[in-house]
Amino acid sequence: MPTPSPATLPIRRLTLRDLRACADLAEGRGWPREEHKWGLLLTAGRGYGIDDPGGGLVGSCVVTEYGPQEEPSLVAVGMVLVAERHARQGVGRRLVRHVVSMSGTTPLTLFATPNGRPLYEELGFKATGRAEMMRGVFSPDGHEPRTATRAATAEDLPALLRLDEEVFGMDRTHIVTRLPAFADQLRVAVEDGRLIGYAAAWPTAETQVVGPLIARDTDTAKALIASLAAHTDRPLRTDIDVRHEKLLAWVEARGLAPVAFNTVMTYGIADLPGDWTRRFAPLTVAAG
């Protein structure tokens, strides 16, 4: 019997039972497996996929909604992946169109790779920014940070949620409250008893990913990165908004090198809400 065309195969919701298939799909396209991250995305958001009759997945994507649960204010799209054997057959386009249709009038955002950007532009997404992925072994400069940092505690959560919503521009409680279990480290910056920034570091097979990174200013962001680096012996990886030129120059001087970039794109909204001057790095480019 002939193999069905991907255009005729149904799109279905992905669940945690699909973790291995999702990781296999990512690995097959040269991406890290990152089952830990897939687990967060599939529980805090929704995954969509197309089953391959021969086994595994034809393609996938994940959406994470922000704002009121009953009427989200923003949808982040990520992990748009198509198996190599099904590439250039319209699968990615079909999955993204499905998400656009499901989202109705709710604005969307995503981080596009250079290869993916033409598809998103064709579908109506507009470039609004850029993030640089930095990776390497962090080398401290020997100076004590001006800003005090410490491990976050349960008592910090209300203030942390308030700061996150103020900077991100909408409620992310369902993401932030998962960070203590998801991340290896969750640290806060404080001044006069007031929380002025926070950052997490979560594991991949080879690195600790720094994100989210929210801070009052560049010095606070530096202090948070340095404190995370001091508590791990693994290389760091993070995606920094290129408008934060001083932080990019500083992490490069400390041993991290640029390895890739992603274009921040939006659909149905001119720009992202919130305060970009205090938003240094996302939790992950897949979830914003």
Side-chain angles (χ1 to χ4, degrees):
M1 294 181 63
T3 302
S5 165
T8 66
L9 297 171
I11 296 174
R12 67 167 176 88
R13 282 283 299 273
L14 298 174
T15 72
L16 289 177
R17 290 189 296 272
D18 298 300
L19 270 179
R20 181 174 178 178
C22 290
D24 287 346
L25 179 64
E27 188 175 42
R29 296 314 307 258
W31 291 25
R33 291 186 63 86
E34 296 184 341
E35 292 184 28
H36 184 61
K37 181 180 74 176
W38 278 105
L40 174 71
L41 295 172
L42 293 176
T43 52
R46 297 194 309 275
Y48 296 100
I50 300 172
D51 289 315
D52 189 332
L57 291 171
V58 169
S60 72
C61 71
V62 174
V63 299
T64 310
E65 296 177 337
Y66 297 113
Q69 185 175 4
E70 63 281 1
E71 192 174 347
S73 305
L74 183 69
V75 175
V77 184
M79 307 309 288
V80 180
L81 285 161
V82 179
E84 178 64 36
R85 62 191 176 277
H86 297 292
R88 295 170 293 280
Q89 297 180 46
V91 177
R93 180 180 294 102
R94 184 178 170 215
L95 284 164
V96 177
R97 280 180 171 163
H98 178 77
V99 168
V100 171
S101 175
M102 293 284 292
S103 301
T105 59
T106 305
L108 295 94
T109 184
L110 54 79
F111 286 74
T113 64
N115 287 338
R117 179 172 173 173
L119 167 63
Y120 302 126
E121 289 178 331
E122 177 188 326
L123 294 175
F125 285 80
K126 306 295 183 184
T128 60
R130 175 169 155 154
E132 196 83 31
M133 180 187 291
M134 308 292 291
R135 186 187 188 281
V137 176
F138 182 89
S139 299
D141 59 10
H143 296 98
E144 282 292 323
R146 304 177 196 175
T147 306
T149 64
R150 58 170 171 77
T153 67
E155 288 72 27
D156 293 316
L157 187 57
L160 198 154
L161 285 168
R162 286 194 297 270
L163 175 64
D164 187 85
E165 183 171 359
E166 180 182 331
V167 173
F168 193 75
M170 59 193 67
D171 179 59
R172 292 201 296 178
T173 298
H174 66 306
I175 289 290
V176 175
T177 53
R178 285 177 163 88
L179 288 178
F182 175 71
D184 287 338
Q185 299 185 62
L186 180 60
R187 299 186 66 83
V188 295
V190 292
E191 182 179 82
D192 299 327
R194 183 170 61 92
L195 194 148
I196 60 172
Y198 84 92
W202 51 271
T204 70
E206 299 177 348
T207 66
Q208 289 266 294
V209 178
V210 176
L213 174 56
I214 284 176
R216 180 184 63 185
D217 50 35
T218 301
D219 284 342
T220 305
K222 290 179 181 179
L224 284 164
I225 292 175
S227 67
L228 293 170
H231 290 83
T232 182
D233 57 1
R234 305 176 79 188
L236 299 185
R237 194 185 89 201
T238 189
D239 295 270
I240 297 175
D241 187 319
V242 296
R243 291 173 290 188
H244 293 293
E245 296 177 356
K246 292 181 179 179
L247 185 65
L248 279 168
W250 179 79
V251 297
E252 190 163 5
R254 303 271 68 75
L256 277 65
V259 294
F261 72 88
N262 290 283
T263 301
V264 182
M265 307 189 78
T266 57
Y267 179 97
I269 189 172
D271 203 354
L272 292 175
D275 181 3
W276 75 266
T277 66
R278 291 183 287 167
R279 188 174 58 230
F280 288 83
L283 166 64
T284 163
V285 294

